[in-house]
Amino acid sequence: MGRRNITQVSDFILMGLTDSAEIRLVLFTLFLLMYLITVLGNVGMILIFRLDPQLHTPMYFFLSHLSFLDLSYSSVITPKTLDNLLTSNKYISYLNCFIQMNCFVFLGVTECFLLSSMAYDRYVAICNPLHYLIVMSTRRCCSLLFGSYLIGFMDSFVNVLCMSRLHFCDSNVIYHFFCEAPPVLALSCTDTHDIEIIISIFAGSTLVVSLITVSVSYVAILSTILKITSTSGKRKTFSTCASHLLAVSIFYATTIFTYAKPSKSYSLGKDHVASVFYTIVIPMLNPLIYSLRNKEVKNALRRVMQKRKGPKQLKYQ
């Protein structure tokens, strides 16, 4: 008696960012440009790291995988968002929605721990430079990378198990521009209290552990930098981790802003601005941050370009 008719929906409706056709066209153009920069920037970074032998170091090993994650991260969300903006096709199938959501969780968590691994790498490079190559051996780097992907997979698997228990009966309208856990949980007509607790524990643990790792690493780094007597030495040492610190600050700031609130508070507005930032803007910014602020990357690009010009000149001679 009084029990709602629970059915498994075949698709969802993504409300998107706006109903205005003019604003949708502007956003489509802007997001398309950002996505193209993201693809070119991250693919370019991966190629430079692979083609230049001088960048075959632990730091750039992690950076190449960060570029891969950012490229994948953006590609999971942006193409469907662009389709929704251009065609007003707001439908997404149940299966595609949950694939998108769990890929998003997997890539996001993996990036969290990859950034933590990069912070540890900078800590060893600055605080223990004489043993850097021994501590950050190929085996250690691969272990840290594997651990990042493994934790990402575990969090995603838990998310799959939790979300598979949901039922939808009142509405299939998601008030968001992509399938993210909080708005989908708010849509379910079943009791989501236990599921929210489980997801919050895993998401919270991920965020806290990675943040502690990053924080401890940078406290040690700053302590070491402050002990350097010369101003130029301090500046040179800090420049080796400035790009990573900037990328970490942007990533965690938007993530904490979004997930520090209960899922029921999701609505069109500030949440969507933050979501746009960490799904579309950050994957575009990271290659720019690491290339524009890094002399080694700039020099590597010049070397790669010179190698490409060399064979061409020989052919014409």
Side-chain angles (χ1 to χ4, degrees):
M1 293 295 292
R3 188 177 180 182
R4 287 177 287 187
N5 181 30
I6 298 176
T7 59
Q8 192 64 39
V9 299
S10 59
D11 53 36
F12 293 103
I13 299 173
L14 294 168
M15 289 304 293
L17 294 165
T18 179
D19 291 327
S20 170
E22 292 79 9
I23 297 176
R24 282 207 309 270
L25 183 59
V26 172
L27 290 176
F28 172 82
T29 305
L30 181 62
F31 289 174
L32 178 61
L33 179 61
M34 287 182 175
Y35 184 59
L36 291 175
I37 294 173
T38 299
V39 173
L40 291 173
N42 285 294
V43 170
M45 292 286 279
I46 293 170
L47 289 175
I48 290 171
F49 298 147
R50 291 288 184 267
L51 293 173
D52 191 85
Q54 292 187 34
L55 296 186
H56 292 176
T57 63
M59 176 182 174
Y60 295 106
F61 170 78
F62 290 124
L63 269 177
S64 65
H65 283 276
L66 179 66
S67 292
F68 170 74
L69 286 174
D70 281 334
L71 179 61
S72 304
Y73 197 71
S74 182
S75 297
V76 166
I77 308 297
T78 310
K80 180 58 181 174
T81 303
L82 291 173
D83 178 54
N84 290 358
L85 289 169
L86 186 64
T87 64
S88 298
N89 175 24
K90 297 183 178 182
Y91 286 92
I92 182 170
S93 70
Y94 177 90
L95 179 61
N96 287 339
C97 181
F98 278 82
I99 289 174
Q100 185 186 63
M101 179 168 42
N102 289 293
C103 285
F104 172 76
V105 171
F106 168 68
L107 294 167
V109 173
T110 303
E111 184 157 334
C112 265
F113 280 93
L114 184 65
L115 289 171
S116 299
S117 300
M118 292 170 69
Y120 174 72
D121 170 75
R122 292 299 82 207
Y123 157 75
V124 177
I126 293 172
C127 301
N128 196 9
L130 296 179
H131 297 93
Y132 176 66
L133 293 178
I134 297 173
V135 175
M136 297 305 295
S137 61
T138 302
R139 184 175 180 178
R140 175 69 61 83
C141 291
C142 290
S143 297
L144 289 170
L145 181 67
F146 176 76
S148 298
Y149 279 101
L150 179 61
I151 295 170
F153 173 78
M154 288 170 60
D155 268 28
S156 178
F157 183 69
V158 170
N159 197 71
V160 169
L161 293 178
C162 290
M163 291 299 181
S164 64
R165 296 170 57 190
L166 296 179
H167 296 282
F168 306 91
C169 52
D170 291 336
S171 173
N172 65 339
V173 179
I174 298 175
Y175 291 95
H176 208 26
F177 65 94
F178 73 99
C179 292
E180 194 172 13
V184 173
L185 281 169
L187 187 66
S188 176
C189 59
T190 51
D191 183 13
T192 61
H193 179 70
D194 293 341
I195 293 175
E196 286 184 41
I197 290 175
I198 294 170
I199 291 177
S200 296
I201 289 172
F202 275 85
S205 300
T206 296
L207 196 59
V208 169
V209 171
S210 58
L211 265 176
I212 288 174
T213 304
V214 171
S215 300
V216 170
S217 297
Y218 274 101
V219 166
I221 288 170
L222 290 174
S223 177
T224 302
I225 290 174
L226 290 173
K227 292 176 182 177
I228 300 173
T229 54
S230 66
T231 305
S232 60
K234 289 180 180 179
R235 189 181 301 111
K236 184 178 180 181
T237 305
F238 182 75
S239 66
T240 63
C241 60
S243 298
H244 178 256
L245 184 59
L246 179 60
V248 164
S249 300
I250 295 172
F251 181 85
Y252 282 107
T254 52
T255 303
I256 291 171
F257 174 83
T258 302
Y259 289 100
K261 293 180 293 183
S263 62
K264 300 295 181 183
S265 69
Y266 256 76
S267 61
L268 294 174
K270 294 181 181 179
D271 298 310
H272 293 71
V273 174
S275 295
V276 166
F277 207 81
Y278 65 73
T279 57
I280 298 175
V281 179
I282 289 179
M284 176 193 71
L285 287 179
N286 278 345
L288 297 177
I289 290 171
Y290 284 107
S291 60
L292 296 177
R293 294 182 57 86
N294 194 314
K295 289 182 180 180
E296 289 185 353
V297 174
K298 293 178 183 177
N299 292 334
L301 180 59
R302 293 192 191 99
R303 288 193 294 269
V304 171
M305 295 301 292
Q306 287 172 358
K307 285 181 181 179
R308 295 298 174 190
K309 288 180 181 178
K312 290 182 180 179
Q313 291 176 348
L314 290 173
K315 286 180 182 179
Y316 288 117
Q317 289 174 357

